[in-house]
Structure formats: C-alpha cells, structure tokens
Amino acid sequence: MMTGSVREDGFPSSGSTEMSPEQRVPEWGGDHLADSGGADLDGDTLGVDPTELTDDDLIREMHSLHRTRLDTLRHAADSALANHLRRTAELETEYLARHPGREVDPSRLRDA
C-alpha cells in the first residue's frame, strides 16, 4: 500500500520543498545523454567538449551559463534544466581540473 500520492509529472505531491534540482529533474541521471552520444533528441550536439575549449572560451561559456541560471531554474522545461545542470558541471569540472591551485580570496573564507 502506497502512503503518498504521485503527481502526474512523477514527483511526489506531498514531496519536500527541500529537494535539489538534481532530484527534481528526471533526466538528471544523464543516461539519455550518454546513449545519444552527447546529442539531444533532435540529434544536435549539446555543446563542445570542455577539454577542447581554450581558457577564454571556457570562461565565456561559464559566464553565459551563470548569467542564464536563475531564468533556467525558474522557467525552463525539465529537460532544459537538466541540460543546464549537466553543462555547468562539465564546464566547472574542467575549470577546476585546469586550475587546481586556484587563488582563493581570503575575504571569501569563513571562520571554522
């Protein structure tokens, strides 16, 4: 016997409002992206491999994603949000791989 109901979109109707976007977006697992060879349902590429980007292009791409973040989170379809989350993770992971000793601003640190 189920104790909670499920909405038509597959999310629990009495679900916690504390769910992360990754938990709310059914596509987050990325299996459909891996199966399609990095292409969306129309066969279009979902972005240049971050390892192929120059440092300037990598920064430009991250700026673009961060500039559109709130609008995507609030208003985009689940599939667009999933793509946005995936692409942000790819680009930021590549940035951190290139800059493991990045300079940390002391004013951004909190007392332990």
Side-chain angles (χ1 to χ4, degrees), residues 46-65:
L46 294 175
V48 175
D49 182 345
T51 61
E52 297 177 11
L53 296 172
T54 65
D55 283 348
D56 288 341
D57 289 338
L58 181 64
I59 296 293
R60 187 192 75 245
E61 290 290 318
M62 288 191 302
H63 272 289
S64 177
L65 282 170

Side-chain angles (χ1 to χ4, degrees), residues 27-100:
E27 294 90 354
W28 177 250
D31 292 338
H32 71 292
L33 299 174
D35 294 341
S36 64
D40 67 13
L41 296 176
D42 296 326
D44 296 328
T45 302
L46 294 175
V48 175
D49 182 345
T51 61
E52 297 177 11
L53 296 172
T54 65
D55 283 348
D56 288 341
D57 289 338
L58 181 64
I59 296 293
R60 187 192 75 245
E61 290 290 318
M62 288 191 302
H63 272 289
S64 177
L65 282 170
H66 287 241
R67 186 177 57 252
T68 60
R69 175 72 179 142
L70 183 59
D71 188 54
T72 303
L73 178 64
R74 294 184 64 209
H75 305 294
D78 286 347
S79 60
L81 178 57
N83 186 47
H84 196 277
L85 291 166
R86 178 199 55 82
R87 187 65 173 164
T88 300
E90 288 176 353
L91 295 170
E92 290 180 351
T93 298
E94 178 61 22
Y95 179 84
L96 292 172
R98 292 184 192 186
H99 304 282

